[in-house]
Protein backbone atom coordinates (compact mmCIF):
# COMPACT_ATOMS: atom_id res chain seq x y z
CA UNK A 1 0.00 0.00 0.00
CA UNK A 2 1.23 3.52 -0.67
CA UNK A 3 1.45 6.14 2.07
CA UNK A 4 -1.84 7.69 0.96
CA UNK A 5 -3.55 4.30 0.90
CA UNK A 6 -2.39 3.52 4.45
CA UNK A 7 -3.73 6.83 5.73
CA UNK A 8 -7.10 6.45 4.01
CA UNK A 9 -7.41 2.77 4.92
CA UNK A 10 -6.67 3.60 8.57
CA UNK A 11 -9.42 6.20 8.52
CA UNK A 12 -11.87 3.89 6.77
CA UNK A 13 -11.26 0.60 8.53
CA UNK A 14 -9.14 0.73 11.66
CA UNK A 15 -10.74 1.35 15.04
CA UNK A 16 -8.20 2.86 17.44
CA UNK A 17 -8.48 2.05 21.14
CA UNK A 18 -9.59 4.63 23.71
CA UNK A 19 -9.58 7.13 20.84
CA UNK A 20 -12.01 9.79 19.65
CA UNK A 21 -12.17 8.64 16.06
CA UNK A 22 -13.73 11.96 15.03
CA UNK A 23 -10.43 13.67 15.73
CA UNK A 24 -8.96 11.98 12.64
CA UNK A 25 -11.59 13.26 10.25
CA UNK A 26 -9.46 16.31 9.57
CA UNK A 27 -6.00 15.32 10.89
CA UNK A 28 -3.75 12.40 9.99
CA UNK A 29 -3.60 9.13 11.91
CA UNK A 30 -0.02 8.80 13.19
CA UNK A 31 1.42 5.69 11.53
CA UNK A 32 4.51 4.22 13.18
CA UNK A 33 6.38 1.91 10.85
CA UNK A 34 9.59 0.84 12.57
CA UNK A 35 11.67 1.06 15.73
CA UNK A 36 15.33 1.07 16.68
CA UNK A 37 16.54 1.16 20.28
CA UNK A 38 14.69 3.91 22.14
CA UNK A 39 13.31 5.48 18.94
CA UNK A 40 10.41 4.82 16.59
CA UNK A 41 9.86 6.20 13.08
CA UNK A 42 6.65 7.20 11.31
CA UNK A 43 5.64 6.59 7.70
CA UNK A 44 7.27 9.88 6.65
CA UNK A 45 10.60 8.89 8.19
CA UNK A 46 10.31 11.21 11.20
CA UNK A 47 11.97 9.99 14.41
CA UNK A 48 10.39 9.98 17.88
CA UNK A 49 11.89 9.19 21.26
CA UNK A 50 9.67 6.47 22.69
CA UNK A 51 9.21 7.97 26.14
CA UNK A 52 6.40 5.56 27.01
CA UNK A 53 7.97 2.33 25.73
CA UNK A 54 4.95 2.08 23.43
CA UNK A 55 2.50 1.59 26.26
CA UNK A 56 4.83 0.68 29.17
CA UNK A 57 5.91 -2.34 27.12
CA UNK A 58 9.17 -2.07 25.14
CA UNK A 59 11.60 -2.68 28.00
CA UNK A 60 14.53 -3.94 25.89
CA UNK A 61 13.85 -1.34 23.21
CA UNK A 62 12.98 -1.74 19.55
CA UNK A 63 14.63 -3.66 16.72
CA UNK A 64 16.02 -6.62 18.66
CA UNK A 65 16.68 -9.22 15.99
CA UNK A 66 17.71 -11.75 18.63
CA UNK A 67 14.17 -11.78 20.00
CA UNK A 68 12.67 -11.86 16.51
CA UNK A 69 14.87 -14.84 15.65
CA UNK A 70 13.77 -16.68 18.78
CA UNK A 71 10.16 -16.12 17.67
CA UNK A 72 10.90 -17.46 14.18
CA UNK A 73 12.69 -20.53 15.57
CA UNK A 74 9.79 -21.34 17.87
CA UNK A 75 7.16 -20.79 15.16
CA UNK A 76 9.04 -23.19 12.85
CA UNK A 77 9.37 -25.83 15.56
CA UNK A 78 5.97 -25.61 17.25
CA UNK A 79 3.83 -22.62 16.38
CA UNK A 80 0.93 -23.52 18.61
CA UNK A 81 -0.27 -25.90 21.19
CA UNK A 82 -2.63 -25.10 24.07
CA UNK A 83 -1.90 -25.24 27.78
CA UNK A 84 -5.21 -27.03 28.29
CA UNK A 85 -4.05 -30.38 29.67
CA UNK A 86 -0.79 -30.23 27.68
CA UNK A 87 2.48 -28.40 28.18
CA UNK A 88 5.20 -27.26 25.80
CA UNK A 89 8.87 -26.60 26.59
CA UNK A 90 8.81 -22.80 26.16
CA UNK A 91 5.95 -22.39 28.66
CA UNK A 92 7.57 -24.82 31.11
CA UNK A 93 10.93 -23.04 30.95
CA UNK A 94 9.36 -19.61 31.23
CA UNK A 95 7.15 -20.61 34.17
CA UNK A 96 10.13 -21.91 36.12
CA UNK A 97 12.23 -18.87 35.22
CA UNK A 98 9.50 -16.48 36.39
CA UNK A 99 9.00 -18.53 39.58
CA UNK A 100 12.76 -18.18 40.24
CA UNK A 101 12.62 -14.42 39.76
CA UNK A 102 9.46 -13.90 41.81
CA UNK A 103 9.77 -13.25 45.56
CA UNK A 104 9.11 -15.84 48.29
CA UNK A 105 6.98 -18.85 47.47
CA UNK A 106 5.27 -17.33 44.44
CA UNK A 107 6.02 -20.50 42.54
CA UNK A 108 3.14 -21.21 40.21
CA UNK A 109 2.57 -19.39 36.92
CA UNK A 110 -0.78 -19.23 35.11
CA UNK A 111 -0.37 -17.62 31.69
CA UNK A 112 -2.81 -15.32 29.89
CA UNK A 113 -2.38 -13.19 26.79
CA UNK A 114 -2.87 -9.75 28.36
CA UNK A 115 -2.96 -7.70 31.53
CA UNK A 116 -6.75 -7.50 31.63
CA UNK A 117 -6.92 -11.27 31.41
CA UNK A 118 -4.31 -11.52 34.17
CA UNK A 119 -6.42 -9.31 36.46
CA UNK A 120 -9.60 -11.12 35.46
CA UNK A 121 -7.88 -14.44 36.20
CA UNK A 122 -6.61 -13.24 39.59
CA UNK A 123 -10.09 -12.20 40.68
CA UNK A 124 -11.57 -15.48 39.43
CA UNK A 125 -8.83 -17.41 41.22
CA UNK A 126 -9.48 -15.52 44.46
CA UNK A 127 -13.19 -16.39 44.27
CA UNK A 128 -12.52 -20.03 43.36
CA UNK A 129 -9.85 -20.35 46.06
CA UNK A 130 -12.28 -19.28 48.78
CA UNK A 131 -14.95 -21.64 47.47
CA UNK A 132 -12.40 -24.44 47.74
CA UNK A 133 -11.49 -23.32 51.26
CA UNK A 134 -15.12 -23.36 52.44
CA UNK A 135 -15.56 -19.58 52.49
CA UNK A 136 -17.89 -19.20 49.51
CA UNK A 137 -19.21 -15.76 50.50
CA UNK A 138 -15.89 -14.06 49.74
CA UNK A 139 -16.13 -12.43 46.31
CA UNK A 140 -15.55 -8.68 46.69
CA UNK A 141 -12.42 -6.95 45.56
CA UNK A 142 -10.94 -3.78 46.97
CA UNK A 143 -8.89 -1.47 44.77
CA UNK A 144 -7.78 2.14 44.81
CA UNK A 145 -9.27 5.33 43.43
CA UNK A 146 -8.27 6.04 39.82
CA UNK A 147 -6.33 2.76 39.53
CA UNK A 148 -6.51 1.22 36.05
CA UNK A 149 -6.65 -2.58 36.03
CA UNK A 150 -7.93 -3.29 32.51
CA UNK A 151 -10.99 -3.29 30.30
CA UNK A 152 -12.67 -6.70 30.37
CA UNK A 153 -15.80 -6.69 32.52
CA UNK A 154 -14.18 -8.08 35.64
CA UNK A 155 -11.00 -6.03 35.30
CA UNK A 156 -13.16 -2.96 34.68
CA UNK A 157 -15.05 -3.65 37.91
CA UNK A 158 -11.68 -3.70 39.69
CA UNK A 159 -10.66 -0.46 37.94
CA UNK A 160 -11.08 2.75 39.94
CA UNK A 161 -11.66 5.15 37.03
CA UNK A 162 -15.33 6.13 37.28
CA UNK A 163 -15.41 7.83 33.87
CA UNK A 164 -14.66 4.76 31.75
CA UNK A 165 -17.39 2.58 33.26
CA UNK A 166 -20.90 4.02 32.69
CA UNK A 167 -21.15 2.85 29.04
CA UNK A 168 -20.67 -0.74 30.18
CA UNK A 169 -22.74 -0.94 33.32
CA UNK A 170 -23.94 -3.02 34.99
CA UNK A 171 -20.53 -4.50 35.79
CA UNK A 172 -19.95 -7.61 37.93
CA UNK A 173 -20.79 -6.68 41.53
CA UNK A 174 -18.18 -6.51 44.25
CA UNK A 175 -15.80 -3.68 43.31
CA UNK A 176 -15.00 -1.52 46.35
CA UNK A 177 -12.82 1.65 46.23
CA UNK A 178 -10.35 3.00 48.78
CA UNK A 179 -7.98 6.02 48.59
CA UNK A 180 -4.78 5.79 46.60
CA UNK A 181 -1.35 7.02 47.73
CA UNK A 182 -1.35 10.44 46.08
CA UNK A 183 0.48 12.39 48.79
CA UNK A 184 0.41 15.58 46.69
CA UNK A 185 -3.38 15.58 47.15
CA UNK A 186 -3.45 14.12 50.67
CA UNK A 187 -6.30 15.17 52.97
CA UNK A 188 -5.23 18.08 55.22
CA UNK A 189 -5.04 16.07 58.43
CA UNK A 190 -2.27 13.84 57.03
CA UNK A 191 -0.74 16.19 54.48
CA UNK A 192 2.34 17.08 56.57
CA UNK A 193 3.69 13.60 57.24
CA UNK A 194 4.21 10.99 54.52
CA UNK A 195 4.35 8.08 56.93
CA UNK A 196 1.14 9.10 58.70
CA UNK A 197 -0.50 9.52 55.31
CA UNK A 198 0.57 5.99 54.41
CA UNK A 199 -0.85 4.59 57.63
CA UNK A 200 -4.13 6.38 57.02
CA UNK A 201 -4.33 5.19 53.39
CA UNK A 202 -3.60 1.57 54.40
CA UNK A 203 -6.07 1.74 57.28
CA UNK A 204 -8.74 2.88 54.84
CA UNK A 205 -8.44 -0.64 53.38
CA UNK A 206 -9.14 -2.09 56.80
CA UNK A 207 -12.13 0.21 57.25
CA UNK A 208 -13.46 -0.86 53.85
CA UNK A 209 -13.06 -4.55 54.76
CA UNK A 210 -14.95 -3.99 58.02
CA UNK A 211 -17.65 -1.94 56.31
CA UNK A 212 -18.21 -4.60 53.65
CA UNK A 213 -17.92 -7.49 56.09
CA UNK A 214 -14.62 -9.42 56.10
CA UNK A 215 -16.41 -12.64 55.22
CA UNK A 216 -17.38 -11.08 51.85
CA UNK A 217 -13.98 -9.75 50.79
CA UNK A 218 -11.76 -11.94 48.57
CA UNK A 219 -8.88 -9.71 47.50
CA UNK A 220 -7.15 -6.35 47.61
CA UNK A 221 -5.56 -5.19 44.32
CA UNK A 222 -2.65 -2.75 44.47
CA UNK A 223 0.00 -1.63 42.00
CA UNK A 224 3.51 -1.14 43.43
CA UNK A 225 3.48 2.35 41.90
CA UNK A 226 -0.02 3.31 40.78
CA UNK A 227 0.03 4.37 37.15
CA UNK A 228 -3.29 6.07 36.62
CA UNK A 229 -3.48 9.48 38.24
CA UNK A 230 0.22 9.93 37.52
CA UNK A 231 2.65 7.57 39.27
CA UNK A 232 1.85 7.34 42.97
CA UNK A 233 4.69 5.59 44.84
CA UNK A 234 3.89 3.95 48.17
CA UNK A 235 4.66 5.83 51.39
CA UNK A 236 7.22 4.03 53.61
CA UNK A 237 5.62 1.08 55.39
CA UNK A 238 2.39 1.26 53.38
CA UNK A 239 2.60 -2.17 51.78
CA UNK A 240 3.74 -3.84 55.01
CA UNK A 241 0.61 -2.49 56.66
CA UNK A 242 -1.61 -3.56 53.77
CA UNK A 243 -0.10 -7.05 54.08
CA UNK A 244 -0.86 -7.11 57.81
CA UNK A 245 -4.44 -6.00 57.20
CA UNK A 246 -4.96 -8.66 54.51
CA UNK A 247 -3.57 -11.31 56.89
CA UNK A 248 -5.75 -10.11 59.76
CA UNK A 249 -8.94 -10.60 57.73
CA UNK A 250 -7.85 -13.56 55.60
CA UNK A 251 -7.99 -11.50 52.37
CA UNK A 252 -5.67 -12.21 49.41
CA UNK A 253 -3.25 -9.46 48.42
CA UNK A 254 -2.80 -9.08 44.67
CA UNK A 255 0.08 -6.99 43.34
CA UNK A 256 -0.96 -5.85 39.87
CA UNK A 257 2.41 -5.50 38.19
CA UNK A 258 1.27 -5.32 34.59
CA UNK A 259 3.34 -2.13 34.36
CA UNK A 260 5.73 -2.40 37.31
CA UNK A 261 7.18 -5.89 36.76
CA UNK A 262 10.15 -6.71 34.52
CA UNK A 263 12.35 -3.77 35.25
CA UNK A 264 10.14 -0.71 35.21
CA UNK A 265 11.16 -0.06 38.84
CA UNK A 266 14.66 -1.54 38.53
CA UNK A 267 13.59 -5.00 39.81
CA UNK A 268 11.93 -7.98 38.23
CA UNK A 269 8.96 -7.34 40.50
CA UNK A 270 7.79 -4.18 42.26
CA UNK A 271 6.95 -6.24 45.35
CA UNK A 272 10.68 -7.01 45.65
CA UNK A 273 11.60 -3.35 45.45
CA UNK A 274 9.16 -2.44 48.21
CA UNK A 275 9.72 -5.56 50.31
CA UNK A 276 6.28 -7.16 50.51
CA UNK A 277 5.03 -10.61 49.65
CA UNK A 278 1.69 -10.64 47.82
CA UNK A 279 -0.39 -13.79 47.33
CA UNK A 280 -0.71 -13.22 43.59
CA UNK A 281 1.29 -11.08 41.17
CA UNK A 282 -0.24 -10.18 37.81
CA UNK A 283 2.08 -9.32 34.92
CA UNK A 284 2.02 -8.69 31.14
CA UNK A 285 3.56 -5.97 28.93
CA UNK A 286 7.31 -5.98 29.68
CA UNK A 287 7.65 -9.76 30.04
CA UNK A 288 8.09 -9.94 26.25
CA UNK A 289 9.13 -6.32 25.65
CA UNK A 290 6.16 -6.39 23.28
CA UNK A 291 7.68 -8.71 20.66
CA UNK A 292 4.64 -10.94 21.18
CA UNK A 293 1.66 -10.69 23.55
CA UNK A 294 1.78 -12.46 26.91
CA UNK A 295 0.48 -11.98 30.43
CA UNK A 296 -0.08 -14.08 33.50
CA UNK A 297 -0.20 -14.42 37.22
CA UNK A 298 2.30 -15.88 39.66
CA UNK A 299 0.68 -17.53 42.67
CA UNK A 300 1.89 -18.51 46.13
CA UNK A 301 2.02 -22.17 47.12
CA UNK A 302 -0.81 -21.76 49.61
CA UNK A 303 -3.17 -20.37 46.97
CA UNK A 304 -2.33 -23.20 44.60
CA UNK A 305 -2.65 -25.86 47.27
CA UNK A 306 -6.45 -26.47 47.14
CA UNK A 307 -6.16 -27.10 43.40
CA UNK A 308 -3.56 -29.84 43.75
CA UNK A 309 -5.74 -32.67 45.04
CA UNK A 310 -8.74 -34.77 44.04
CA UNK A 311 -11.10 -33.45 41.38
CA UNK A 312 -10.46 -29.82 42.22
CA UNK A 313 -9.88 -27.75 39.04
CA UNK A 314 -9.50 -24.06 38.26
CA UNK A 315 -12.16 -23.94 35.52
CA UNK A 316 -10.54 -21.18 33.54
CA UNK A 317 -8.40 -20.98 30.40
CA UNK A 318 -7.55 -18.98 27.28
CA UNK A 319 -6.71 -20.49 23.88
CA UNK A 320 -3.61 -18.40 23.23
CA UNK A 321 -2.37 -18.10 26.83
CA UNK A 322 1.30 -19.01 27.16
CA UNK A 323 1.55 -19.19 23.36
CA UNK A 324 4.79 -20.98 22.38
CA UNK A 325 6.04 -18.04 20.32
CA UNK A 326 5.30 -15.56 23.12
CA UNK A 327 6.94 -17.80 25.71
CA UNK A 328 10.06 -18.20 23.54
CA UNK A 329 10.11 -14.45 23.01
CA UNK A 330 9.85 -13.85 26.77
CA UNK A 331 12.81 -16.19 27.38
CA UNK A 332 14.91 -14.35 24.79
CA UNK A 333 13.84 -11.03 26.30
CA UNK A 334 14.89 -12.17 29.78
CA UNK A 335 18.25 -13.30 28.34
CA UNK A 336 18.79 -9.72 27.18
CA UNK A 337 17.84 -8.44 30.65
CA UNK A 338 20.66 -10.58 32.05
CA UNK A 339 23.26 -10.04 29.32
CA UNK A 340 22.87 -6.27 29.38
CA UNK A 341 22.00 -5.88 33.06
CA UNK A 342 18.93 -3.80 32.26
CA UNK A 343 17.85 -3.75 35.90
CA UNK A 344 21.29 -2.42 36.83
CA UNK A 345 20.93 0.27 34.18
CA UNK A 346 17.65 1.44 35.69
CA UNK A 347 19.00 1.42 39.24
CA UNK A 348 22.15 3.26 38.20
CA UNK A 349 20.31 5.93 36.21
CA UNK A 350 17.00 6.45 37.98
CA UNK A 351 18.30 9.26 40.18
CA UNK A 352 19.65 11.02 37.09
CA UNK A 353 16.33 10.59 35.29
CA UNK A 354 14.45 12.03 38.24
CA UNK A 355 16.88 14.94 38.67
CA UNK A 356 16.61 15.77 34.97
CA UNK A 357 12.81 15.82 35.10
CA UNK A 358 12.88 17.81 38.33
CA UNK A 359 14.63 20.64 36.48
CA UNK A 360 11.19 21.26 35.00
CA UNK A 361 9.82 22.30 38.38
CA UNK A 362 11.09 25.81 37.63
CA UNK A 363 8.21 26.10 35.13
CA UNK A 364 5.00 27.63 36.54
CA UNK A 365 2.87 24.79 35.14
CA UNK A 366 4.80 21.93 36.79
CA UNK A 367 3.36 21.09 40.22
CA UNK A 368 5.23 17.90 41.02
CA UNK A 369 7.47 15.20 39.55
CA UNK A 370 6.87 11.79 41.14
CA UNK A 371 7.53 8.13 40.52
CA UNK A 372 10.35 5.60 40.77
CA UNK A 373 12.68 3.65 38.50
CA UNK A 374 11.97 4.54 34.88
CA UNK A 375 8.40 5.53 35.64
CA UNK A 376 7.47 9.16 36.29
CA UNK A 377 4.45 11.40 36.30
CA UNK A 378 4.62 15.18 36.03
CA UNK A 379 1.54 16.84 37.48
CA UNK A 380 0.47 20.04 35.76
CA UNK A 381 -1.18 22.79 37.80
CA UNK A 382 -2.68 26.21 37.27
CA UNK A 383 -1.17 27.56 40.49
CA UNK A 384 1.86 25.99 42.10
CA UNK A 385 1.38 27.67 45.46
CA UNK A 386 -2.21 26.51 45.96
CA UNK A 387 -1.86 23.32 43.82
CA UNK A 388 -5.02 24.48 42.02
CA UNK A 389 -5.70 22.24 39.06
CA UNK A 390 -7.35 22.99 35.72
CA UNK A 391 -11.11 22.87 35.26
CA UNK A 392 -12.57 20.43 32.71
CA UNK A 393 -12.55 22.99 29.94
CA UNK A 394 -8.97 24.04 30.49
CA UNK A 395 -7.89 20.45 30.81
CA UNK A 396 -9.56 19.62 27.52
CA UNK A 397 -7.87 22.55 25.76
CA UNK A 398 -4.51 21.94 27.42
CA UNK A 399 -4.19 18.17 27.10
CA UNK A 400 -6.28 17.10 24.15
CA UNK A 401 -6.29 20.40 22.31
CA UNK A 402 -2.58 21.11 22.57
CA UNK A 403 -0.13 19.02 24.59
CA UNK A 404 -0.77 15.54 23.20
CA UNK A 405 -0.19 16.67 19.62
CA UNK A 406 2.52 19.20 20.39
CA UNK A 407 4.68 16.71 22.29
CA UNK A 408 4.34 14.15 19.52
CA UNK A 409 5.07 16.77 16.85
CA UNK A 410 8.16 17.75 18.83
CA UNK A 411 9.38 14.15 18.61
CA UNK A 412 8.38 12.64 21.96
CA UNK A 413 6.01 9.76 22.57
CA UNK A 414 4.59 10.17 26.08
CA UNK A 415 1.16 10.40 27.62
CA UNK A 416 -0.77 13.51 28.54
CA UNK A 417 -3.53 12.16 30.74
CA UNK A 418 -6.39 13.71 32.68
CA UNK A 419 -8.09 10.65 34.08
CA UNK A 420 -7.10 12.07 37.46
CA UNK A 421 -5.52 15.50 37.64
CA UNK A 422 -3.63 16.43 34.45
CA UNK A 423 -0.29 14.64 34.22
CA UNK A 424 2.38 13.81 31.69
CA UNK A 425 3.66 10.29 32.01
CA UNK A 426 7.02 8.87 31.10
CA UNK A 427 8.17 5.26 31.03
CA UNK A 428 10.97 4.90 28.49
CA UNK A 429 12.73 1.67 27.49
CA UNK A 430 15.13 0.40 30.15
CA UNK A 431 18.10 0.90 27.82
CA UNK A 432 17.77 4.69 28.09
CA UNK A 433 20.58 6.81 29.52
CA UNK A 434 21.22 10.48 30.35
CA UNK A 435 21.26 11.52 26.71
CA UNK A 436 17.64 10.36 26.37
CA UNK A 437 16.60 12.03 29.63
CA UNK A 438 18.07 15.31 28.40
CA UNK A 439 16.18 15.01 25.14
CA UNK A 440 12.94 14.34 27.03
CA UNK A 441 13.55 17.34 29.30
CA UNK A 442 14.28 19.69 26.40
CA UNK A 443 11.14 18.71 24.50
CA UNK A 444 8.98 18.95 27.61
CA UNK A 445 10.47 22.32 28.57
CA UNK A 446 9.75 23.90 25.19
CA UNK A 447 6.27 22.42 24.89
CA UNK A 448 5.14 23.13 28.46
CA UNK A 449 6.41 26.71 28.16
CA UNK A 450 4.29 27.13 25.06
CA UNK A 451 1.29 25.49 26.77
CA UNK A 452 1.51 27.97 29.66
CA UNK A 453 1.51 30.90 27.21
CA UNK A 454 -1.64 29.55 25.55
CA UNK A 455 -3.63 29.19 28.75
C1 LIG B 1 -1.92 -2.04 36.17
C2 LIG B 1 -2.57 -2.56 34.94
N1 LIG B 1 -3.35 -3.66 35.01
C3 LIG B 1 -3.94 -4.16 33.91
C4 LIG B 1 -3.80 -3.56 32.68
C5 LIG B 1 -4.48 -4.15 31.47
O1 LIG B 1 -3.55 -4.69 30.60
P1 LIG B 1 -3.92 -5.00 29.07
O2 LIG B 1 -4.04 -3.69 28.37
O3 LIG B 1 -2.74 -5.81 28.59
O4 LIG B 1 -5.18 -5.78 29.05
C6 LIG B 1 -3.00 -2.42 32.55
C7 LIG B 1 -2.83 -1.79 31.26
O5 LIG B 1 -2.22 -0.75 31.10
C8 LIG B 1 -2.39 -1.90 33.72
O6 LIG B 1 -1.64 -0.80 33.65
Amino acid sequence: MTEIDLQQAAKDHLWLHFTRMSSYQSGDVPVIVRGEGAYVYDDKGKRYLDGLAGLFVSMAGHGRTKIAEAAARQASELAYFPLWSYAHPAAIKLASRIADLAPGDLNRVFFTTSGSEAVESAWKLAKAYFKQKGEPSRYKVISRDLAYHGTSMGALAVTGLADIKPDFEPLPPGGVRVPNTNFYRAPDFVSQDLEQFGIWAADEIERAILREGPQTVAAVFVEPVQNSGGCFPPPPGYFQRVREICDRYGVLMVSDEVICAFGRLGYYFGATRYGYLPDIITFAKGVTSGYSPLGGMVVRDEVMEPFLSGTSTFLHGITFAGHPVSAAVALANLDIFEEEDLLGNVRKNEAGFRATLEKLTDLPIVGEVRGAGYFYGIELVKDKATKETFDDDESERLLRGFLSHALFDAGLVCRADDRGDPVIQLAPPLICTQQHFDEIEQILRATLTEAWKRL
Side-chain angles (χ1 to χ4, degrees), residues 56 114-117 119 148-151 223 227 256 258-259 284-285:
F56 314 96
S114 72
S116 296
E117 282 173 1
V119 167
Y148 180 78
H149 292 286
T151 47
E223 288 167 89
N227 168 46
D256 182 359
V258 166
I259 287 180
K285 299 190 185 261

Side-chain angles (χ1 to χ4, degrees), residues 220-282:
V220 171
F221 276 68
V222 281
E223 288 167 89
V225 172
Q226 181 176 319
N227 168 46
S228 204
C231 290
F232 306 140
Y238 172 81
F239 282 126
Q240 286 65 29
R241 203 167 175 97
V242 173
R243 179 72 266 182
E244 279 165 28
I245 291 165
C246 287
D247 287 344
R248 194 172 307 142
Y249 299 101
V251 172
L252 296 181
M253 181 180 184
V254 182
S255 192
D256 182 359
E257 308 212 7
V258 166
I259 287 180
C260 291
F262 299 105
R264 181 58 50 213
L265 303 177
Y267 292 78
Y268 281 109
F269 292 97
T272 308
R273 173 168 179 144
Y274 294 115
Y276 62 94
L277 190 63
D279 299 296
I280 302 172
I281 292 178
T282 50

Side-chain angles (χ1 to χ4, degrees), residues 174-353:
V176 177
R177 284 305 87 68
V178 293
N180 56 44
T181 57
N182 183 1
F183 188 53
Y184 189 66
R185 302 275 175 206
D188 282 348
F189 61 93
V190 282
S191 64
Q192 300 308 313
D193 184 329
L194 181 61
E195 218 154 310
Q196 283 308 310
F197 168 68
I199 290 171
W200 168 78
D203 287 352
E204 281 295 304
I205 294 176
E206 180 169 31
R207 283 187 272 280
I209 292 172
L210 291 171
R211 219 169 30 241
E212 295 297 321
Q215 75 287 355
T216 69
V217 181
V220 171
F221 276 68
V222 281
E223 288 167 89
V225 172
Q226 181 176 319
N227 168 46
S228 204
C231 290
F232 306 140
Y238 172 81
F239 282 126
Q240 286 65 29
R241 203 167 175 97
V242 173
R243 179 72 266 182
E244 279 165 28
I245 291 165
C246 287
D247 287 344
R248 194 172 307 142
Y249 299 101
V251 172
L252 296 181
M253 181 180 184
V254 182
S255 192
D256 182 359
E257 308 212 7
V258 166
I259 287 180
C260 291
F262 299 105
R264 181 58 50 213
L265 303 177
Y267 292 78
Y268 281 109
F269 292 97
T272 308
R273 173 168 179 144
Y274 294 115
Y276 62 94
L277 190 63
D279 299 296
I280 302 172
I281 292 178
T282 50
F283 66 87
K285 299 190 185 261
V287 65
T288 60
S289 281
Y291 285 78
S292 191
L294 185 72
M297 54 179 174
V298 203
V299 174
R300 284 183 76 178
D301 290 343
E302 197 188 321
V303 180
M304 180 66 200
E305 196 271 331
F307 299 94
L308 284 174
S309 55
T311 56
S312 153
T313 309
F314 183 37
L315 294 168
H316 180 59
I318 299 147
T319 300
F320 284 143
H323 192 283
V325 173
S326 299
V329 157
L331 288 164
N333 180 47
L334 292 175
D335 287 346
I336 289 176
F337 270 62
E338 275 179 27
E339 287 155 17
E340 300 182 16
D341 190 19
L342 293 186
L343 302 185
N345 194 51
V346 174
R347 291 189 211 174
K348 186 172 75 199
N349 290 316
E350 75 164 281
F353 189 17

Side-chain angles (χ1 to χ4, degrees), residues 368-390:
E368 187 181 47
V369 173
R370 56 180 176 247
Y374 273 19
F375 189 29
Y376 289 98
I378 299 173
E379 179 155 347
L380 306 180
V381 290
K382 200 152 92 176
D383 186 328
K384 267 162 112 93
T386 61
K387 300 184 183 172
E388 184 187 352
T389 190
F390 301 96

